[in-house]
Amino acid sequence: AQKITQTQPGMFVQEKEAVTLDCTYDTSDPSYGLFWYKQPSSGEMIFLIYQGSYDQQNATEGRYSLNFQKARKSANLVISASQLGDSAMYFCAMTRFDQLSGGGADGLTFGKGTHLIIQP
Amino acid sequence: DTEVTQTPKHLVMGMTNKKSLKCEQHMGHRAMYWYKQKAKKPPELMFVYSYEKLSINESVPSRFSPECPNSSLLNLHLHALQPEDSALYLCASSQGPGSSYEQYFGPGTRLTVT
C-alpha cells in the first residue's frame, strides 16, 4: 500500500518569496512515480511536475522544482518567486509502476494537500 | 493540447434518477480514470480503464457504473445515488502502460444528490 503525508495544512507566504511544500511518502514498490498537482478554487487539477523513482536528477518545470530525497522518502515542491496566482490547494501524489506492464495506467494516491495563500 | 473535457459542469439529481457523466479526450491517451473528491478532501480513485478495458475498480458501489465506448470517451452512469455521493467527480487520462505517466484532469462535474 502507498501513503502520502503532507504535514502543512495551510501556508501564508509573501509574494515573490520562494515556497517549499513538504511531502513524504511510504511504499513497498521498488518502482514508482511522484507528482505534484495544483487545484485552484475552480476545482480543476493542474499537473505541475513529475519525478520517477529511478531518475538521478531532480525534476524542474519553470518556477517549479521537486527536491527528491529517496533515502528520506521525501519529494518536496519548491516554487520560486511566488505569485498571487499561485494561491491554491497543492497535492502531492504517487503511483506505482508495474514491472510487467511498465506502469503508466495505475491510479494516483494523493496526500491531504496544502492550502497555499500568497499575500501581496 | 492537454485538454480533457467533462459534461455537465454541474448536476443536481434525486435519489431515484438515472444520469450520466461524460468525459472526452483527444490526446490519443489509452488510460482513463474516474476520481471522486469530497469537499476539502483529496481525490479518491474509483475506476481505471486501460485500452478500453476496466483494469481497476476500487470497490465502488454498483450504483456507479463506468463505461468506455471508445478510446476517447469515458462515461459514468449514476443510478439510485445517496446524498453522501454528492461530490466533485474528476476524469483524467494518461498515455497508458509503458508510456509517460502524467495524468491530465478535466474540470470536473459537481454533483449534488437531493
Side-chain angles (χ1 to χ4, degrees):
Chain A
Q2 303 169 331
K3 185 177 180 181
I4 295 277
T5 301
Q6 294 180 254
T7 57
Q8 304 154 310
M11 286 185 73
F12 289 87
V13 174
Q14 289 296 118
E15 189 180 9
K16 299 180 185 174
E17 288 184 352
V19 182
T20 297
L21 304 181
D22 295 339
C23 172
T24 58
Y25 62 90
D26 192 19
T27 182
S28 56
D29 295 304
S31 182
Y32 50 89
L34 295 154
F35 305 80
W36 277 92
Y37 284 86
K38 172 185 178 181
Q39 188 174 40
S41 56
S42 59
E44 185 168 1
M45 297 287 285
I46 302 168
F47 166 73
L48 297 178
I49 198 166
Y50 159 78
Q51 179 86 40
S53 57
Y54 289 111
D55 292 342
Q56 296 296 315
Q57 291 191 318
N58 286 345
T60 60
E61 290 285 350
R63 293 188 299 115
Y64 305 107
S65 60
L66 199 153
N67 184 1
F68 180 48
Q69 297 187 45
K70 193 171 182 178
R72 298 178 65 181
K73 294 190 175 180
S74 74
N76 297 341
L77 176 71
V78 180
I79 307 174
S80 63
S82 58
Q83 303 170 355
L84 296 178
D86 293 334
S87 295
M89 196 74 172
Y90 287 80
F91 290 100
C92 181
M94 73 181 302
T95 188
R96 70 180 183 89
F97 292 155
D98 182 90
Q99 296 298 318
L100 294 176
S101 71
D106 212 339
L108 294 172
T109 299
F110 288 86
K112 291 186 176 181
T114 295
H115 189 193
L116 176 64
I117 297 174
I118 307 298
Q119 297 175 312
Chain B
D1 183 11
T2 57
E3 187 178 9
V4 177
T5 60
Q6 289 187 245
T7 54
K9 283 191 167 59
H10 299 273
L11 178 63
V12 180
M13 60 184 291
M15 290 189 284
T16 58
N17 291 157
K18 285 185 182 181
K19 297 286 185 183
S20 296
L21 309 184
K22 180 181 172 182
C23 173
E24 194 164 6
Q25 57 87 15
H26 294 287
M27 297 177 278
H29 287 176
R30 303 315 301 264
M32 297 186 76
Y33 312 78
W34 280 115
Y35 291 84
K36 173 183 177 180
Q37 187 178 23
K38 300 282 279 183
K40 300 190 188 302
K41 298 286 187 184
E44 293 179 342
L45 182 68
M46 299 175 73
F47 302 104
V48 180
Y49 273 83
S50 179
Y51 289 94
E52 299 158 51
K53 287 185 168 40
L54 183 65
S55 59
I56 296 177
N57 176 345
E58 291 287 359
S59 303
V60 178
S62 59
R63 57 185 183 268
F64 296 92
S65 175
E67 178 197 20
C68 190
N70 59 57
S71 60
S72 301
L73 273 176
L74 186 65
N75 297 322
L76 186 63
H77 303 297
L78 314 172
H79 172 56
L81 294 192
Q82 304 296 309
E84 59 264 29
D85 296 322
S86 298
L88 179 67
Y89 287 84
L90 293 161
C91 172
S93 70
S94 67
Q95 286 194 14
S99 301
S100 68
Y101 312 112
E102 303 95 88
Q103 292 186 19
Y104 295 96
F105 284 79
T109 294
R110 289 196 184 273
L111 173 68
T112 303
V113 181
T114 60

